[in-house]
Amino acid sequence: MKKYLLFFVYLFLCFTFSSYTSHKTLKTIKLGFIPLTDCAPLVVAKEMNLFQKHGVTVELSKEASWANIRDKILSGELDGAHCLFSMPFSVYTGIGGKAGTEMKIAMVLSNNGQGITLSKDFCGLVGFKEYNKVASAVKNIQTRKEVTFAMTFPGGTHDIWLRNWLAACGINQKSVGIITIPPPQMVANMRVDNMEGYCVGEPWNGVAAIQNVGFTHIASQDIWKHHPEKALVVNSEFAKNNREDLKKVMKAILEACQWLDNMSNRKKAANWLTKPYYVNANLSVIETRLLGSNDLGCELGVQKYKDDYMTFYNNGFVNAPRKSHAIWFLSQYVRFGMMKDIPDYKAIADKLILNDLYEEVAQSMDIPLPKDDMKPFKTNLETITFDPNNPSQYLQLAKK
């Protein structure tokens, strides 16, 4: 009798342990996103059951603003999110959050595909990429009202594209207003004349053009071709304690990125993105700009991009997070007076970018690892070469 009792106790313990480990494995991972076209890797991974394929249960959470994304990643309410590549550096340095708080970059999700939209006030004064005419147009408009530009998060990618563009236009950033507005609210705010221009991701540049609210003046790939844009950013404790689950999430997203860079798949992706619970915007705008065709508005015609449209994989070039890019963004914070003190560039990059994790995942999937990190590069609107090993030299030249 005692033997039978022990046997049943043994079975009970086995069942309990099995249920516990099964429950632990099936923990739902929560990933946030902002309704933008470049949230596509997360959407595709969800719609194609790629998360499930790689052994994780993932819930996607549509968020209202980048500040929401920041707060929820830091609190652990979100395990990770589709996020501005530069946000972790902005938050850590105290520009866009509490200094010293850490958000980790696991991988890059996209290159290119953002834009600067100008209001109809500029129509006829400035054309596509005619940034040499912007300063005089701004002065013209300032004779009758203040000129304000909007971006999406202090120290975020859109903020830095905007400030780089202003510098290239010869406009002192202090001579105009710069405000923060969440991406989905850009068009509505321009419609009621809250600003004369904004920098944001698609589809909100295309929506302004099709609704005759504004026109696309320049795309971000015209500012810096193949720049890092969105990243998979994760809670630091999640990255530390759930490394294997994070690797599975990354594998699913990388597979989605590969699928997205087959251009024949982008119409299907646009159909998913247009849904109310994702981007909830005009299908034709999402689709055409995903395919590299931008109807600019203001009777400027259509601009077609051949190799520098929004990319998600590009044979692995897109997805590797680079420390040199982190150092570039940190140097921009110094350049534009957003930071008073010179940061420890490399230490911050080392702390916030999970290079070893990405390399491990990429190698397991036979994805090529780019060999350009920490090498000098130059953006489109600058004549100065940026050397990530010597950002102080770049800053001295940029001030001249």
Side-chain angles (χ1 to χ4, degrees):
M1 184 71 181
K2 189 175 180 181
K3 287 183 179 180
Y4 286 116
L5 182 62
L6 288 172
F7 178 70
F8 283 118
V9 169
Y10 172 75
L11 287 178
F12 173 77
L13 290 173
C14 286
F15 175 77
T16 303
F17 179 74
S18 175
S19 298
Y20 169 76
T21 54
S22 175
H23 174 72
K24 188 176 180 182
T25 303
L26 293 175
K27 172 190 177 293
T28 299
I29 296 167
K30 196 170 182 180
L31 301 179
F33 70 93
I34 294 291
L36 291 160
T37 301
D38 54 25
C39 74
L42 273 64
V43 170
V44 169
K46 184 69 173 177
E47 292 292 328
M48 293 182 66
N49 296 317
L50 298 178
F51 292 123
Q52 185 177 354
K53 172 185 172 181
H54 288 278
V56 283
T57 302
V58 171
E59 175 189 339
L60 298 186
S61 177
K62 185 175 180 177
E63 301 296 333
S65 69
W66 292 120
N68 276 18
I69 292 275
R70 173 202 61 201
D71 293 345
K72 290 184 178 182
I73 290 178
L74 290 174
S75 70
E77 187 174 341
L78 291 173
D79 296 304
H82 153 256
C83 195
L84 301 163
F85 175 82
S86 58
M87 185 191 288
F89 313 116
S90 170
V91 171
Y92 186 82
T93 55
I95 294 167
K98 183 181 177 182
T101 48
E102 296 180 18
M103 304 161 69
K104 304 286 189 176
I105 295 177
M107 60 178 283
V108 179
L109 298 175
S110 64
N111 288 174
N112 307 323
Q114 317 302 294
I116 292 177
T117 288
L118 297 179
S119 72
K120 290 191 290 184
D121 288 321
F122 286 89
C123 196
L125 300 176
V126 175
F128 178 65
K129 290 202 296 187
E130 291 182 338
Y131 55 90
N132 58 321
K133 295 182 179 181
V134 173
S136 59
V138 166
K139 288 179 181 177
N140 181 308
I141 296 167
Q142 283 176 329
T143 60
R144 58 185 186 275
K145 64 177 179 178
E146 293 183 5
V147 172
T148 298
F149 295 99
M151 48 75 188
T152 63
F153 187 83
T157 52
H158 303 125
D159 188 11
I160 300 306
W161 308 145
L162 178 67
R163 292 176 194 271
N164 268 259
W165 171 76
L166 287 171
C169 292
I171 298 172
N172 186 321
Q173 60 182 1
K174 294 181 181 178
S175 68
V176 296
I178 298 178
I179 59 175
T180 304
I181 293 177
Q185 298 175 26
M186 286 293 191
V187 178
N189 273 271
M190 181 170 277
R191 185 179 289 112
V192 297
D193 203 29
N194 281 343
M195 74 284 214
E196 284 64 52
Y198 61 72
C199 184
V200 76
E202 297 300 346
W204 307 115
N205 299 291
V207 170
I210 202 169
Q211 293 184 3
N212 196 31
V213 172
F215 65 96
T216 304
H217 163 65
I218 192 168
S220 58
Q221 54 265 43
D222 300 313
I223 297 171
W224 175 5
K225 185 177 179 179
H226 299 326
H227 62 78
E229 181 50 45
K230 301 302 187 300
L232 176 65
V233 173
V234 295
N235 172 275
S236 59
E237 289 301 309
F238 176 75
K240 179 182 176 181
N241 299 325
N242 298 273
R243 185 180 177 90
E244 293 306 311
D245 281 346
L246 178 53
K247 284 161 61 176
K248 293 173 184 177
V249 167
M250 292 168 67
K251 288 177 182 180
I253 292 174
L254 279 164
E255 193 171 330
C257 288
Q258 292 171 327
W259 184 88
L260 277 161
D261 264 15
N262 181 336
M263 298 301 282
S264 64
N265 291 330
R266 293 204 172 184
K267 288 188 176 184
K268 188 171 185 178
N271 271 294
W272 285 326
L273 290 166
T274 194
K275 303 299 182 185
Y277 42 86
Y278 290 134
V279 178
N280 192 26
N282 182 283
L283 173 61
S284 66
V285 172
I286 294 175
E287 182 181 295
T288 54
R289 294 209 169 198
L290 257 181
L291 292 169
S293 182
N294 293 5
D295 186 345
L296 302 173
C298 193
E299 299 183 355
L300 293 173
V302 175
Q303 173 68 21
K304 294 187 177 181
Y305 291 92
K306 295 181 180 178
D307 70 337
D308 53 353
Y309 40 73
M310 189 182 293
T311 54
F312 300 95
Y313 178 64
N314 195 10
N315 199 33
F317 179 88
V318 171
N319 310 109
R322 294 159 174 81
K323 293 180 181 180
S324 55
H325 294 167
I327 294 169
W328 184 85
F329 277 102
L330 289 165
S331 74
Q332 301 306 303
Y333 299 162
V334 177
R335 175 188 179 189
F336 294 119
M338 303 165 82
M339 291 182 65
K340 292 181 180 179
D341 300 321
I342 302 297
D344 189 336
Y345 296 102
K346 191 170 186 306
I348 296 172
D350 288 343
K351 185 183 289 286
L352 301 183
I353 295 179
L354 302 174
N355 281 83
D356 59 336
L357 178 69
Y358 176 76
E359 289 175 10
E360 185 180 338
V361 172
Q363 287 171 351
S364 73
M365 297 178 70
D366 293 323
I367 292 173
L369 290 168
K371 298 179 180 179
D372 60 344
D373 199 7
M374 297 306 292
K375 292 183 179 179
F377 61 88
K378 189 169 69 175
T379 65
N380 295 31
L381 295 188
E382 291 188 298
T383 57
I384 308 167
T385 296
F386 179 77
D387 183 352
N389 300 291
N390 191 3
S392 59
Q393 182 185 55
Y394 163 84
L395 289 170
Q396 288 174 358
L397 294 170
K399 290 177 181 177
K400 293 181 180 180

